[in-house]
Amino acid sequence: MHKRNKHTDDYNFTQLATVYPNIEPFIFTNANNKKTIDFANPKAVKALNAALLKSHYDIQFWDFPDHFLCPPIPGRVDYIHHIADLLERSKLTENVTVLDIGTGANCIYPLLGNAVHDWSFIGVDSNDQALKSAQNIVDKNKLQDKIKLKKQQDDAHILNGVLSETDKITVAMCNPPFFKNEADALKATTSKLKGLGKPTDQMVRNFAGQAHELWYTGGEKAFLHNYLYESSLLKTQSFWYTSLVSNKDNVKTMHQSLKKLGATQVLTIALNIGNKKSRVVAWTFLTEEQKQDWNK
């Protein structure tokens, strides 16, 4: 994990239960005499994340309909920390505005980015119910001045329709849908349940998730290359464009495409969360002169 990540040690469930009592019913002592929760239980995972947000980030309210994606906090905040490093190297540390593509019902990246770095956010989503839930979280935490939400009217587009030629943002971030369709997602869920030693006849995702959150026609690769192309049409609207990339095989084709599209710099940043390896790809179309003008 990133050196600034607060979640490198085991969870202190006693402390978390003190801060967020709703997690207490899910805590038990395992065979190794350690307090834990059932990570295959979506309600337990959701309670854990709410407890972490309240305990470590002073986020007092975090709730949304159970059928929406429930993100693991350590991995999400790691992305935030690596973006902060990127912005610091680029001398972009003041008045930062982040475009969060696919902000979801949980609004997690805006909450963490604002809590840790005081960034402002524009959260974008195409799902009305997700936006309604995210707005409720923003309102309950009194973050209306820092987090604005915007609807993507057309699922076929990533940036088109939400970022115009007159807009200016510091960085765009995205956690793209990974699967091609529902069958792919269910296959992955079956594998995860087997790994947790749970029966596979009950297709309950421990992190939940809806269609628009989990799959996209053509999968992650198709989504990413659509994103790359649309970013090339808005070269000077953002200093950096970034995305998480789950499948390492997509990184090479992204670099190839970005070179053809005229990117002036492309970076791949490794993320290691426990046993899971991922990466962030970041790119910019700005020339050195444009970067200097931006900083002025």
Side-chain angles (χ1 to χ4, degrees):
M1 289 189 191
H2 193 281
K3 62 184 179 182
R4 292 202 295 266
N5 199 314
K6 297 178 179 180
H7 311 293
T8 53
D9 298 326
D10 291 341
Y11 298 128
N12 185 335
F13 285 101
T14 301
Q15 186 267 336
L16 290 174
T18 301
V19 175
Y20 188 75
N22 288 352
I23 194 177
E24 197 160 0
F26 302 106
I27 299 172
F28 66 93
T29 302
N30 64 16
N32 297 320
N33 203 33
K34 288 181 65 175
K35 288 188 176 182
T36 187
I37 62 167
D38 179 2
F39 284 91
N41 181 343
K43 292 185 181 296
V45 171
K46 188 175 180 181
L48 169 61
N49 288 331
L52 292 173
L53 289 171
K54 188 171 184 179
S55 176
H56 295 290
Y57 304 100
D58 196 30
I59 295 167
Q60 299 299 312
F61 176 85
W62 192 68
D63 194 20
F64 49 89
D66 288 340
H67 56 274
F68 281 106
L69 186 69
C70 182
I73 304 304
R76 297 302 192 261
V77 78
D78 228 56
Y79 187 4
I80 292 287
H81 287 313
H82 282 287
I83 284 186
D85 290 346
L86 179 66
L87 298 185
E88 286 169 14
R89 291 195 297 270
S90 305
K91 300 177 181 178
L92 300 167
T93 56
E94 296 181 3
N95 301 317
V96 172
T97 300
V98 184
L99 180 71
D100 178 28
I101 301 165
T103 202
N106 55 72
C107 199
I108 194 62
Y109 286 122
L111 291 174
L112 290 171
N114 177 258
V116 179
H117 298 291
D118 196 34
W119 294 339
S120 295
F121 274 81
I122 302 169
V124 174
D125 207 286
S126 61
N127 184 281
D128 287 325
Q129 192 180 5
L131 286 170
K132 182 180 179 181
S133 172
Q135 188 64 59
N136 185 46
I137 292 171
V138 170
D139 292 344
K140 290 285 181 64
N141 288 289
K142 298 185 168 94
L143 291 171
Q144 297 94 329
D145 291 340
K146 284 290 188 176
I147 301 172
K148 308 293 184 184
L149 301 177
K150 195 170 187 179
K151 185 177 181 183
Q152 169 56 270
Q153 299 288 348
D154 189 345
D155 280 335
H157 291 296
I158 314 297
L159 298 169
N160 186 16
V162 294
L163 193 62
S164 74
E165 293 181 0
T166 58
D167 289 329
K168 288 285 185 182
I169 58 170
T170 315
V171 59
M173 63 186 300
C174 181
N175 186 2
F178 180 73
F179 303 106
K180 295 179 181 179
N181 49 46
E182 184 175 12
D184 270 2
L186 291 175
K187 183 179 178 181
T189 300
T190 301
S191 177
K192 183 182 288 186
L193 288 172
K194 285 181 178 179
L196 290 168
K198 300 294 180 180
T200 59
D201 55 342
Q202 293 181 343
M203 287 291 104
V204 180
R205 298 184 187 91
N206 57 341
F207 293 107
Q210 292 293 286
H212 75 287
E213 298 173 302
L214 295 175
W215 58 86
Y216 181 85
T217 303
E220 182 184 61
K221 183 176 181 179
F223 184 98
L224 287 169
H225 283 274
N226 192 6
Y227 180 17
L228 303 187
Y229 173 70
E230 292 194 9
S231 71
S232 75
L233 304 178
L234 298 160
K235 288 182 169 66
T236 60
Q237 276 57 60
S238 182
F239 194 110
W240 285 104
Y241 291 98
T242 76
S243 182
L244 281 171
V245 183
S246 293
N247 188 340
K248 65 180 181 180
D249 295 335
N250 290 332
V251 174
K252 183 178 180 180
T253 61
M254 289 179 70
H255 278 254
Q256 293 170 340
S257 293
L258 285 165
K259 183 177 180 180
K260 293 177 183 177
L261 292 168
T264 56
Q265 189 177 4
V266 184
L267 304 172
T268 302
I269 303 163
L271 270 65
N272 298 302
I273 311 296
N275 295 323
K276 183 180 179 182
K277 295 185 183 297
S278 188
R279 69 285 307 156
V280 171
V281 175
W283 63 97
T284 183
F285 297 99
L286 300 183
T287 64
E288 289 303 317
E289 183 179 357
Q290 287 171 326
K291 289 177 183 178
Q292 291 173 14
D293 288 342
W294 190 297
N295 286 327
K296 288 177 184 176

